[in-house]
Amino acid sequence: MSGESLVGRTALEHLDALAKGELSARELVQAYLERIERFDGHVQAFLLVDADGAVKKAAEVDERRARGEPLGPLAGVPVAVKDVLCTEGQRTTCASRILENFIPPYDATVVRKLKEADAVLIGKTNMDEFAMGSSTENSAFQVTRNPWDLTRAPGGSSGGSAAAVAACFAPLAIGSDTGGSIRQPAALCGVVGLKPTYGRVSRYGLVAFASSLDQIGPFAFDVRDTALLLKVIAGHDPLDSTSVARSVPDYLACVEEPLEGLKVGVVREWLSEGVDPEVATAVRDAVAVYEKLGADVCDISLPHSKYGIPAYYIVAPAEASSNLARYDGVHYGYRAARYEDMIDMYCRTRAEGFGAEVKRRIMLGTYALSAGYYDAYYLKALKVRRVIREDFDRAFEQVDVIIGPTSPTPAFRLGERLADPLSMYLSDIYTVTANLAGIAGISLPCGFTQDGLPIGLQILAPPFEEERLLRAARMYERETEWHRRRADLQQAVAAVSKAG
Ligand code: GLN
């Protein structure tokens, strides 16, 4: 089998071929490394490619298989990990200068679980600095490009992970989602991305952005692979006190079972104003698929969701301003080369080490938390958060899942929103509410624009109902072919060189 025909398949297809002895884990990882070598100069999805480590792990999997030893559920499958998760002995930067040389002495729990599942960790992916952004342009190191159109953004902040899957650099990837950072880039890159319920996946070893909102989750080409990866990373962890001690269902085993009498709620407010007409049409077509499948579809209202963005942009920066206080030039990473005294050292380190968006968030957050403004901003935002959760609670009394668009627009052009932070923040309009409420959400491909850009469908489910979420998503996916399309990188590269 040639390398080019291997990449672009799903993890489950790879696992099947590996189990049957049709190929070795080494051949598989080699095919992906060649693909990365050939195209990542154009996409720039990775901050670090661990070719040696990946080949070594693949060889170990092959040897253990030859000896008949038991292997983990991801044995030999390459996985890309967002550079916000600590990897022992391997640079973890959060795409920030301030962590440029930070080498963690331990693995994040999710990384440890991937290793225990015998996954092949192929590299660390680019992101917006400290996961603050919606385009991956806030990385201190490089701009990741959308594999479907290299002049456009992959979304963010987990743009490197979404682009890595879309570019067929790995069949699976890990991201983090604080306000949409898994679902929005999944939508813009035409792949599946899932934000688990707050507490479903351990955040130990995830560099904190906004601790009451952050969750880690999977990227894949389809719902079945997403179910497989979620099962590996989910579960209680004594090292993260916010992770919840509930058993983890075998998501993959049940994902093909359709939900009888499924009640689907379509968010009225999300299909009216401000949504791109092609996105709205694709979502309405998806609703029609559920109707055809016999689901009971109705309109629902989330009246307070319009306050999601303002509430999120108080709560998230407030928590970030506190979390980022630890980067002082003493504990981690970067320290200014020249300074006069200790205070000056702190100031210069942070002035030189953080990018513009991170500084903006620290200032917003510090302001919102300061005496005199705390009640007016932070406390008010917490109250709004509460009513947003109550909107969902009420909706889920009527329906089993909620659907709508993931992002109001398809992939936008690089640079287009950089000068106007508010237009960038509005990318998250349909995603932040799930984080504020702590519920589960998924984005999956539901169509393409006339220009060939992917469109994402968002499905939301109540807390800890990832099984329902995946089964509902799979019902749709089985009826459609969108998840089988792959970006043509050769053509994408030719298109930019012609234009340039
Ligand atoms: N785009 C949002 C922000 O900039 C969400 C980021 C995220 O989910 N990490 O905060």
Side-chain angles (χ1 to χ4, degrees):
M1 218 179 295
S2 84
E4 274 301 301
S5 66
L6 276 177
V7 299
R9 297 182 182 211
T10 66
L12 284 166
E13 286 169 339
H14 289 324
L15 285 166
D16 189 48
L18 288 163
K20 288 184 179 142
E22 291 168 9
L23 84 158
S24 67
R26 281 192 66 157
E27 286 167 329
L28 186 62
V29 76
Q30 212 52 56
Y32 280 105
L33 289 170
E34 277 164 26
R35 172 101 178 159
I36 292 168
E37 176 75 37
R38 183 156 168 227
F39 288 115
D40 199 39
H42 299 284
V43 179
Q44 304 198 114
F46 286 98
L47 288 174
L48 181 150
V49 177
D50 183 16
D52 291 346
V55 169
K56 204 166 137 220
K57 177 72 187 186
E60 179 208 310
V61 167
D62 287 337
E63 279 156 32
R64 281 171 44 210
R65 193 186 303 277
R67 286 200 297 267
E69 288 175 23
L71 292 166
L74 295 178
V77 176
V79 182
V81 175
K82 184 177 182 180
D83 206 25
V84 68
L85 283 155
C86 287
T87 41
E88 186 182 345
Q90 192 178 54
R91 222 159 68 103
T92 298
T93 67
C94 267
S96 180
R97 291 246 169 264
I98 214 152
L99 284 176
E100 193 165 3
N101 299 314
F102 175 56
I103 298 185
Y106 66 97
D107 278 330
T109 296
V110 163
V111 170
R112 177 178 59 75
K113 285 181 175 231
L114 289 169
K115 288 182 176 172
E116 284 168 8
D118 289 320
V120 172
L121 300 184
I122 199 157
K124 305 290 294 285
T125 59
N126 195 27
M127 53 185 283
D128 286 300
E129 184 177 5
F130 285 105
M132 296 173 190
S134 305
S135 68
T136 312
E137 292 165 294
N138 293 337
S139 166
F141 305 118
Q142 65 195 32
V143 171
T144 298
R145 302 197 165 88
N146 191 311
W148 294 90
D149 176 347
L150 299 170
T151 67
R152 291 177 188 268
S157 65
S158 313
S161 288
V165 174
C168 303
F169 294 158
L172 300 175
I174 296 288
S176 65
D177 190 313
T178 304
S181 279
I182 293 175
R183 291 159 289 154
Q184 184 258 17
L188 271 47
C189 287
V191 298
V192 180
L194 185 145
K195 182 201 92 74
T197 307
Y198 187 76
R200 178 77 291 187
V201 176
S202 166
R203 296 172 304 126
Y204 178 72
L206 170 78
V207 179
F209 163 12
S211 309
S212 77
L213 303 160
D214 299 337
Q215 262 295 291
I216 299 170
F219 284 99
F221 283 120
D222 66 14
V223 174
R224 280 159 30 96
D225 271 13
T226 306
L228 169 75
L229 184 51
L230 179 61
K231 165 82 177 154
V232 168
I233 63 171
H236 178 245
D237 177 10
L239 298 172
D240 174 3
S241 60
T242 67
S243 75
V244 173
R246 283 170 77 128
S247 63
V248 180
D250 188 343
Y251 299 116
L252 184 59
C254 60
V255 75
E256 295 293 352
E257 286 169 41
L259 293 151
E260 295 293 325
L262 177 69
K263 290 202 184 78
V264 176
V266 183
V267 190
R268 203 176 301 139
E269 292 87 355
W270 294 358
L271 280 178
S272 46
E273 243 172 275
V275 60
D276 177 280
E278 285 184 287
V279 172
T281 304
V283 171
R284 288 206 183 90
D285 290 348
V287 172
V289 170
Y290 280 103
E291 278 168 344
K292 200 192 91 197
L293 286 167
D296 184 358
V297 177
C298 66
D299 268 8
I300 57 144
S301 175
L302 297 172
H304 299 97
S305 71
K306 60 172 180 278
Y307 304 118
I309 291 279
Y312 172 85
Y313 278 96
I314 297 287
V315 173
E319 294 183 20
S321 69
S322 162
N323 275 326
L324 269 56
R326 73 191 67 170
Y327 306 106
D328 54 4
V330 179
H331 291 88
Y332 307 92
Y334 181 80
R335 178 184 298 178
R338 253 185 286 277
Y339 47 86
E340 273 157 26
D341 53 25
M342 191 177 70
I343 299 293
D344 191 43
M345 188 276 287
Y346 291 156
C347 293
R348 284 175 194 263
T349 296
R350 289 167 68 85
E352 292 164 20
F354 289 136
E357 183 61 29
V358 174
K359 287 179 190 157
R360 184 179 296 123
R361 305 280 178 114
I362 293 172
M363 285 189 281
L364 281 171
T366 313
Y367 185 81
L369 288 175
S370 56
Y373 294 106
Y374 183 94
D375 287 3
Y377 293 108
Y378 185 67
L379 205 60
K380 183 72 156 269
L382 290 186
K383 289 178 183 166
V384 172
R385 184 175 187 175
R386 173 87 217 165
V387 294
I388 287 173
R389 170 66 189 252
E390 285 166 1
D391 276 2
F392 280 114
D393 290 346
R394 254 193 306 276
F396 285 126
E397 282 171 14
Q398 280 179 53
V399 297
D400 302 315
V401 294
I402 292 175
I403 71 175
T406 305
S407 157
T409 65
F412 43 90
R413 289 197 187 282
L414 290 165
E416 193 179 284
R417 300 191 183 174
L418 271 185
D420 179 4
L422 206 57
S423 76
M424 191 72 92
Y425 295 174
L426 286 172
S427 297
D428 312 323
I429 190 156
Y430 308 134
T431 48
V432 289
T433 42
N435 302 76
L436 289 166
I439 64 174
I442 193 171
S443 178
L444 66 159
C446 72
F448 286 81
T449 66
Q450 298 263 313
D451 294 339
L453 300 172
I455 300 171
L457 175 72
Q458 181 173 220
I459 312 181
L460 302 168
F464 297 99
E465 293 294 347
E466 282 79 6
E467 179 184 325
R468 186 193 301 175
L469 191 65
L470 289 159
R471 286 168 68 188
R474 180 67 187 141
M475 282 169 73
Y476 169 81
E477 189 184 68
R478 247 199 319 254
E479 299 297 310
T480 56
E481 293 290 322
W482 312 118
H483 62 287
R484 294 191 206 284
R485 289 212 198 168
R486 300 288 179 265
D488 184 342
L489 273 180
Q490 217 165 323
Q491 199 189 313
V493 171
V496 255
S497 49
K498 207 162 85 201

Short mmCIF file of all heavy atoms in Angstrom, two decimals, residues 82 131-134 156-157 176-182 209 312-313 316 361 425 428, ligand 1:
data_model
loop_
_atom_site.label_atom_id
_atom_site.label_comp_id
_atom_site.label_asym_id
_atom_site.label_seq_id
_atom_site.Cartn_x
_atom_site.Cartn_y
_atom_site.Cartn_z
N LYS A 82 -2.35 19.36 20.94
CA LYS A 82 -2.23 20.83 21.04
C LYS A 82 -1.14 21.19 22.05
O LYS A 82 -1.04 20.56 23.11
CB LYS A 82 -3.59 21.40 21.48
CG LYS A 82 -3.68 22.92 21.53
CD LYS A 82 -5.10 23.36 21.91
CE LYS A 82 -5.27 24.86 21.94
NZ LYS A 82 -6.65 25.26 22.32
N ALA A 131 -4.29 29.88 24.13
CA ALA A 131 -5.64 29.51 23.67
C ALA A 131 -6.59 30.70 23.57
O ALA A 131 -7.80 30.54 23.59
CB ALA A 131 -6.24 28.40 24.56
N MET A 132 -6.01 31.90 23.46
CA MET A 132 -6.84 33.10 23.36
C MET A 132 -6.92 33.54 21.90
O MET A 132 -6.00 34.16 21.38
CB MET A 132 -6.25 34.22 24.21
CG MET A 132 -6.25 33.86 25.68
SD MET A 132 -5.38 35.08 26.62
CE MET A 132 -5.29 34.23 28.20
N GLY A 133 -8.04 33.21 21.27
CA GLY A 133 -8.22 33.60 19.88
C GLY A 133 -9.11 32.64 19.15
O GLY A 133 -9.51 31.60 19.69
N SER A 134 -9.43 32.98 17.91
CA SER A 134 -10.34 32.17 17.10
C SER A 134 -9.79 31.92 15.71
O SER A 134 -10.52 31.57 14.80
CB SER A 134 -11.69 32.88 16.97
OG SER A 134 -12.21 33.18 18.25
N GLY A 156 -9.72 28.80 15.56
CA GLY A 156 -8.83 28.69 16.72
C GLY A 156 -9.65 28.56 17.99
O GLY A 156 -10.87 28.57 17.94
N SER A 157 -9.01 28.36 19.09
CA SER A 157 -7.57 28.44 19.20
C SER A 157 -6.85 27.12 18.85
O SER A 157 -5.64 27.12 18.66
CB SER A 157 -7.19 28.82 20.63
OG SER A 157 -7.58 27.79 21.54
N SER A 176 -8.24 21.92 23.07
CA SER A 176 -8.92 22.38 24.28
C SER A 176 -9.94 23.42 23.87
O SER A 176 -9.79 24.10 22.86
CB SER A 176 -7.93 22.95 25.29
OG SER A 176 -7.33 24.12 24.77
N ASP A 177 -11.02 23.50 24.66
CA ASP A 177 -12.16 24.33 24.30
C ASP A 177 -12.61 25.09 25.54
O ASP A 177 -13.11 24.50 26.50
CB ASP A 177 -13.28 23.42 23.77
CG ASP A 177 -14.44 24.15 23.13
OD1 ASP A 177 -14.93 25.12 23.73
OD2 ASP A 177 -14.90 23.73 22.05
N THR A 178 -12.40 26.41 25.51
CA THR A 178 -12.77 27.28 26.63
C THR A 178 -14.01 28.09 26.27
O THR A 178 -14.83 28.42 27.12
CB THR A 178 -11.58 28.21 26.96
OG1 THR A 178 -10.45 27.39 27.22
CG2 THR A 178 -11.86 29.09 28.16
N GLY A 179 -14.10 28.39 24.95
CA GLY A 179 -15.26 29.15 24.46
C GLY A 179 -15.64 28.72 23.05
O GLY A 179 -16.40 29.40 22.37
N GLY A 180 -15.05 27.61 22.60
CA GLY A 180 -15.35 27.13 21.25
C GLY A 180 -14.13 26.63 20.51
O GLY A 180 -14.21 26.25 19.34
N SER A 181 -13.00 26.61 21.18
CA SER A 181 -11.72 26.35 20.51
C SER A 181 -11.52 24.96 19.94
O SER A 181 -10.54 24.73 19.24
CB SER A 181 -10.57 26.65 21.46
OG SER A 181 -10.34 28.02 21.47
N ILE A 182 -12.43 24.03 20.21
CA ILE A 182 -12.40 22.76 19.48
C ILE A 182 -13.46 22.81 18.38
O ILE A 182 -13.18 22.49 17.22
CB ILE A 182 -12.68 21.56 20.42
CG1 ILE A 182 -11.54 21.38 21.42
CG2 ILE A 182 -12.88 20.28 19.61
CD1 ILE A 182 -11.76 20.30 22.46
N PHE A 209 -6.21 28.40 31.11
CA PHE A 209 -6.62 29.69 30.56
C PHE A 209 -7.74 30.21 31.47
O PHE A 209 -7.53 31.11 32.27
CB PHE A 209 -7.05 29.48 29.10
CG PHE A 209 -7.86 30.57 28.45
CD1 PHE A 209 -8.04 31.83 29.03
CD2 PHE A 209 -8.45 30.36 27.20
CE1 PHE A 209 -8.79 32.82 28.41
CE2 PHE A 209 -9.19 31.36 26.58
CZ PHE A 209 -9.37 32.57 27.18
N TYR A 312 -18.95 35.89 28.65
CA TYR A 312 -17.72 35.11 28.47
C TYR A 312 -16.49 36.02 28.51
O TYR A 312 -15.48 35.68 29.12
CB TYR A 312 -17.79 34.34 27.14
CG TYR A 312 -16.49 33.67 26.77
CD1 TYR A 312 -16.19 32.40 27.27
CD2 TYR A 312 -15.55 34.30 25.96
CE1 TYR A 312 -14.99 31.78 26.95
CE2 TYR A 312 -14.35 33.69 25.64
CZ TYR A 312 -14.07 32.44 26.14
OH TYR A 312 -12.87 31.83 25.83
N TYR A 313 -16.60 37.17 27.84
CA TYR A 313 -15.41 38.04 27.76
C TYR A 313 -15.19 38.87 29.04
O TYR A 313 -14.34 39.75 29.07
CB TYR A 313 -15.42 38.88 26.47
CG TYR A 313 -14.89 38.03 25.33
CD1 TYR A 313 -15.75 37.34 24.48
CD2 TYR A 313 -13.52 37.84 25.17
CE1 TYR A 313 -15.25 36.52 23.48
CE2 TYR A 313 -13.02 37.01 24.17
CZ TYR A 313 -13.88 36.36 23.33
OH TYR A 313 -13.38 35.54 22.35
N ALA A 316 -13.91 34.82 31.27
CA ALA A 316 -12.66 34.18 30.79
C ALA A 316 -11.44 35.08 31.05
O ALA A 316 -10.45 34.60 31.61
CB ALA A 316 -12.80 33.80 29.32
N ARG A 361 -6.29 40.65 27.34
CA ARG A 361 -7.13 39.85 28.26
C ARG A 361 -6.74 40.10 29.71
O ARG A 361 -7.60 40.17 30.59
CB ARG A 361 -7.00 38.36 27.95
CG ARG A 361 -7.30 37.97 26.53
CD ARG A 361 -8.77 37.87 26.24
NE ARG A 361 -8.97 37.54 24.84
CZ ARG A 361 -9.51 36.40 24.41
NH1 ARG A 361 -9.93 35.50 25.25
NH2 ARG A 361 -9.64 36.17 23.12
N TYR A 425 -14.06 38.10 18.31
CA TYR A 425 -14.80 37.53 19.45
C TYR A 425 -16.17 37.00 18.99
O TYR A 425 -16.68 36.02 19.53
CB TYR A 425 -15.01 38.57 20.56
CG TYR A 425 -13.73 39.06 21.24
CD1 TYR A 425 -13.78 40.09 22.18
CD2 TYR A 425 -12.49 38.51 20.95
CE1 TYR A 425 -12.62 40.55 22.80
CE2 TYR A 425 -11.34 38.97 21.55
CZ TYR A 425 -11.40 40.00 22.48
OH TYR A 425 -10.27 40.47 23.09
N ASP A 428 -17.29 33.32 18.16
CA ASP A 428 -17.64 32.35 19.21
C ASP A 428 -19.08 32.46 19.67
O ASP A 428 -19.47 31.87 20.67
CB ASP A 428 -16.75 32.58 20.45
CG ASP A 428 -15.29 32.72 20.11
OD1 ASP A 428 -14.85 32.01 19.20
OD2 ASP A 428 -14.60 33.53 20.74
N1 GLN B 1 -12.06 32.27 20.89
C1 GLN B 1 -12.33 32.25 22.29
C2 GLN B 1 -11.34 33.13 23.01
O1 GLN B 1 -10.58 33.74 22.36
C3 GLN B 1 -12.32 30.85 22.80
C4 GLN B 1 -10.97 30.32 22.97
C5 GLN B 1 -10.94 28.91 23.52
O2 GLN B 1 -11.94 28.21 23.52
N2 GLN B 1 -9.78 28.54 24.04
O3 GLN B 1 -11.32 33.22 24.18
#
